[in-house]
Amino acid sequence: MDAGPADLTTREDAPRRVPRARKPVLDAVLAGAVDVARAVAEELAEGEPVGEHLGASVEGERLVSHEFACLTPGYSGWRWSVVLARAPRQRQATVVESALLPGPEALLPPAWVPWSERLQPGDLGVGDILPTTADDPRLAPGWSDGTLAPEDEDVAARWELGLGRARVLSLEGRADAAERWYAGDGGPDAPIAQAAPAHCASCGFFVPLAGSMRLVFGACANVYSPSDGRIVSVDHGCGAHSEAAVLPAPPAPPEPVLDETGYEVVSVAPVAPVVVPEHGEGSVDEAAPAEELGHS
């Protein structure tokens, strides 16, 4: 029975076997070139001692890397790595690259963090300049024309045209500042506020801020307050409140102290009063004339 055209299998249609990639083996010439690799590592160490040979590993076809222990202070666990190669039928090793690499137990420096993320409050000193990015979410263009809703934009920052400020605080910038101030030393949870006789809202030295911030924050203008010249919340407080005019009562005087070291205390009985008897009849008659005293 003749086979149809669909039953015919040509050599082009037969499945092909994909050859497997051969795994590279350790080249004997490169593996034995330890002295060549050590010389490169010593040159790279710039006078520092190079430790023992840690072994050789296959990197590819006729490509071997030698590793040596690093004895440089501060690089515990690091190793000098020297990669050697050779061309086919070549009997000499050629240096491809060399580097100082961390080992499995190497001491590594902390991850690098950009300066903008490392900066902390208080780091800015005299003469330092801190640039702000063009897309800083804390700022918004200063030409707002008041088309945004009041809950989305500060009332004081609605119309900044002509005031000379290219950018003003955005809603995110105001919220970030309000949360930071309220949770800081000028907020209601500060120890001095917990012991205050009253809140800043009723203090005559409290100067409210402008805009929507005046609902929660103001500045202290009391020279005797620890918050003088700082932002405080309306529910903050201190002992220098303007209405804390009631002076504390003076302390009661102590009991008198009796010094008994210079004399002796003696109990004395009360003295009975002297009774003078009435004058009765005597031997001289009161009607008789008085006698002369007979003074010479």
Side-chain angles (χ1 to χ4, degrees):
M1 185 175 181
D2 297 335
D7 298 331
L8 296 178
T9 302
T10 61
R11 179 175 298 180
E12 289 76 7
D13 298 333
R16 297 181 178 180
R17 183 175 298 177
V18 179
R20 296 181 179 179
R22 189 180 64 171
K23 184 178 180 180
V25 296
L26 183 63
D27 189 88
V29 176
L30 300 178
V34 178
D35 296 338
V36 177
R38 177 176 289 276
V40 175
E42 291 177 350
E43 181 181 357
L44 189 63
E46 297 181 350
E48 294 290 339
V50 177
E52 61 178 344
H53 183 245
L54 300 179
S57 58
V58 180
E59 301 292 342
E61 187 70 24
R62 292 184 296 276
L63 191 64
V64 174
S65 64
H66 291 268
E67 293 184 346
F68 302 88
C70 178
L71 303 180
T72 303
Y75 287 86
S76 177
W78 288 64
R79 53 188 62 184
W80 300 105
S81 178
V82 180
V83 181
L84 304 179
R86 72 178 182 89
R89 294 187 296 275
Q90 182 182 3
R91 307 305 300 176
Q92 294 180 352
T94 302
V95 179
V96 177
E97 61 180 359
S98 59
L100 178 62
L101 301 178
E105 300 179 356
L107 295 177
L108 300 177
W112 182 81
V113 180
W115 68 267
S116 57
E117 299 179 13
R118 297 195 307 267
L119 193 66
Q120 297 296 325
D123 291 347
L124 196 65
V126 178
D128 295 338
I129 298 178
L130 178 62
T132 56
T133 58
D135 56 349
D136 194 326
R138 300 172 300 171
L139 299 174
W143 40 260
S144 302
D145 56 0
T147 57
L148 298 179
E151 60 271 13
D152 295 335
E153 189 177 38
D154 191 357
V155 177
R158 283 188 179 182
W159 184 250
E160 295 288 344
L161 186 62
L163 298 183
R165 293 197 296 171
R167 291 187 291 179
V168 295
L169 275 176
S170 63
L171 179 62
E172 182 177 350
R174 292 192 299 274
D176 181 52
E179 293 178 0
R180 186 174 62 254
W181 293 347
Y182 201 77
D185 295 337
D189 296 331
I192 193 173
Q194 298 292 331
H199 291 159
C200 294
S202 58
C203 181
F205 298 104
F206 181 75
V207 183
L209 295 182
S212 60
M213 286 290 193
R214 68 179 293 115
L215 301 177
V216 185
F217 298 103
C220 178
N222 190 347
V223 66
Y224 298 108
S225 171
S227 301
D228 180 41
R230 299 180 181 179
I231 300 297
V232 293
S233 63
V234 294
D235 47 359
H236 184 70
C238 69
H241 195 279
S242 63
E243 306 308 318
V246 179
L247 297 178
E255 295 292 333
V257 179
L258 182 60
D259 185 9
E260 300 180 354
T261 59
Y263 57 89
E264 181 181 357
V265 179
V266 179
S267 299
V268 180
V271 181
V274 179
V275 179
V276 181
E278 295 181 1
H279 179 69
E281 295 181 358
S283 60
V284 181
D285 186 3
E286 293 180 358
E291 297 179 357
E292 294 182 1
L293 299 177
H295 296 288
S296 58

